[in-house]
Amino acid sequence: MSNIVVVYHSGYGHTQRMAQSVAQGAGAQLLAIDADGNLPEGGWELLAAADAIVFGAPTYMGAPSWQFKKFADASSKAWFVQAWKDKLFAGFTNSASVQGDKQVTLDYFYHLSMQHGGVWVGLGLLPSNTKAAQRNDLNWMGSFSGAMAQSPSDASAGEMAAGDLETARQFGDRVAKSAARWAK
């Protein structure tokens, strides 16, 4: 079994629920970035030992939260020694608006992983884009590069759409299967 770490920041709990779903599907360990943009003690060591790293953050103002960006900037120490080279990477995000510029956040994660010499794992689910499609279908947002969720600004984390959480869980499963294949 591969060692997978889901490193994420969550401002209001929605991204944490996605992280939990991704981790459930991947059999991964959760690593939360705190409100000040820091990892807990031992966090950098967990990432160094990981076979795959999954990034997660809410999309605020068209990009990941500043707490995630602080973490990303701090990862330059790992970059300098190529500590994450050839690891698998993936990412997920959530925002209040249906579009919400979530793709920019996923692109940010992708470019961060490329800076580290990593290999990106996309969502791997066909979009739910027929006339019969409904809000709780898998990949109803039609993402390809990572998992996306939409949570209305007045909805609690407990009210997240079941389809978004199942999409995240299946995404985690894909990351785990990719990590197992990559290890061969």
Side-chain angles (χ1 to χ4, degrees):
M1 181 173 221
S2 299
N3 180 9
I4 302 169
V5 177
V6 176
V7 59
Y8 71 96
H9 171 255
S10 183
Y12 298 98
H14 303 87
T15 307
Q16 180 178 8
R17 286 208 60 208
M18 280 190 82
Q20 291 165 340
S21 292
V22 171
Q24 178 189 22
Q29 184 166 356
L30 291 170
L31 180 59
I33 299 167
D34 70 19
D36 295 321
N38 300 311
L39 293 179
E41 189 170 328
W44 292 107
E45 292 78 13
L46 282 176
L47 293 169
D51 299 311
I53 298 172
V54 182
F55 297 137
T59 297
Y60 295 156
M61 304 306 291
S65 61
W66 71 263
Q67 291 90 340
F68 186 90
K69 288 188 246 181
K70 179 180 175 183
F71 154 77
D73 286 349
S75 77
S76 64
K77 293 176 184 172
W79 169 83
F80 189 74
V81 296
Q82 295 291 276
W84 297 353
K85 186 174 184 174
D86 294 329
K87 290 182 186 289
L88 292 183
F89 288 87
F92 61 92
T93 189
N94 179 73
S95 73
S97 297
V98 173
Q99 201 282 342
D101 296 323
K102 286 185 268 297
Q103 187 62 51
V104 176
T105 297
L106 292 178
D107 289 346
Y108 181 93
F109 296 158
Y110 167 80
H111 288 284
L112 177 61
S113 72
M114 293 300 102
Q115 289 282 318
H116 281 285
V119 176
W120 189 257
V121 178
L123 184 60
L125 291 172
L126 290 173
S128 179
N129 59 6
T130 66
K131 289 191 296 185
Q134 299 194 12
R135 171 66 180 88
N136 271 320
D137 289 347
L138 290 177
N139 195 18
W140 79 279
M141 299 191 74
S143 180
F144 294 96
S145 53
M148 292 182 181
Q150 185 264 331
S151 301
S153 61
D154 58 349
S156 72
E159 296 175 278
M160 287 186 73
D164 286 347
L165 295 174
E166 180 59 18
T167 298
R169 190 196 66 73
Q170 287 192 28
F171 180 47
D173 181 62
R174 177 178 166 85
V175 171
K177 288 176 179 170
S178 298
R181 288 179 67 189
W182 185 249
K184 289 182 182 181

